[in-house]
Amino acid sequence: MVPKQFTPSADLLDGRHILITGAGSGLGRALAVECARAGATVILSGRNSRKLDLVYDEIAAVGKQQPAIAVLDLATATAVDYDNLAKTIGEEFGKLDGVVHAAALLGDRTPLEQYDVPTWCKVLHVNLTAPFILTQILLPNLRKSADASVVFVSSGVVHNQRPFWGAYAVSKSGLESVRSMLSQELEGEPNIRVNSVDPGRMRTAMRAAAYPAEDPNTVPAPAVVSGTFLYLLSVQSRGIYGQYIEAQ
Ligand SMILES: NC(=O)c1ccc[n+]([C@@H]2O[C@H](COP(=O)([O-])OP(=O)(O)OC[C@H]3O[C@@H](n4cnc5c(N)ncnc54)[C@H](OP(=O)(O)O)[C@@H]3O)[C@@H](O)[C@H]2O)c1
């Protein structure tokens, strides 16, 4: 059972190395700061180095460990980029204890009949194919951890299929297949667990784009759900694998 309200202790993630995609803004940024507060060495991944630098500075002020920055545009990254990331993590840290796949694109909110095909391909690539590739390439580093946790970021659209959510809904549904398959394929390796979290509605740029008429002040900040993620990234959640978890 994953607690919805979880208050991390200051040493919850001591000694753990955690990579977070989409760390420059929104949920990824909030998780990066909270993981650092809880003692983790955070590898901040994102496509915008200026945003990552700001998060780096924020963490340098509150975290115990200096973070690292890994600029990776998931829309354009090549095999060499992924290989270099995995190699650098291996050389710098020796092991990886957690990955949170927070990066995603909303894409268009239009009927399928009018959905722009290049946008469809980009959303599926960034939201589904890239987390698959990243997980695949990072498995050797995750295997070096005594307790590694992979967390895919899901969405309520997976269980509530609605019109106009286009490639975003399809990508998140596909991610659930990846989560389910991978957790079963790794069943013989109890030191790697794979779960997904639906964070629920959060006050971010993506939410504002999806619901332009909504008053953002009525929507909780991403930090509200960080407890669930930190719990899953910590050794306290050992034994929890293959689950779809609602954070709110
Ligand atoms: N907000 C919600 O209500 C809600 C609800 C359910 C699920 N989610 C999920 O929560 C996760 C975080 O979303 P959010 O709400 O925090 O939205 P967000 O603020 O838009 O954050 C998305 C992140 O993904 C990054 N990203 C986009 N394209 C990328 C690319 N090509 N390469 C690398 N990074 C890229 C963005 O980078 P830039 O900063 O450079 O744009 C940003 O950091 C997503 O997986 C989303 O599907 C959100």
Side-chain angles (χ1 to χ4, degrees), residues 150-154 175-176 179 194-198 232 242-246:
V150 177
V151 184
F152 295 106
V153 179
S154 193
L175 218 42
E176 288 306 310
R179 184 262 307 156
V194 182
N195 294 286
S196 66
V197 176
D198 167 15
L232 281 174
Q243 291 193 25
Y244 165 90
I245 295 149
E246 290 175 338

Side-chain angles (χ1 to χ4, degrees), residues 163-213:
F164 315 127
W165 280 84
Y168 179 82
V170 173
S171 70
K172 293 296 184 182
S173 299
L175 218 42
E176 288 306 310
S177 294
V178 172
R179 184 262 307 156
S180 171
M181 243 185 284
L182 186 61
S183 59
Q184 291 176 63
E185 288 167 8
L186 296 176
E187 232 165 44
E189 300 185 57
N191 63 317
I192 307 181
R193 54 217 158 76
V194 182
N195 294 286
S196 66
V197 176
D198 167 15
R201 54 194 208 121
M202 299 174 294
R203 192 168 60 238
T204 66
M206 183 182 288
R207 178 80 194 178
Y211 296 93

Side-chain angles (χ1 to χ4, degrees), residues 22 25-27 47-48 51 72-75 102-105 126 153-154 168 172 199-202 204-207:
S25 53
L27 175 67
R47 62 180 168 177
N48 182 319
K51 287 186 183 178
L72 191 72
D73 186 331
L74 298 173
L105 285 174
V126 170
V153 179
S154 193
Y168 179 82
K172 293 296 184 182
R201 54 194 208 121
M202 299 174 294
T204 66
M206 183 182 288
R207 178 80 194 178

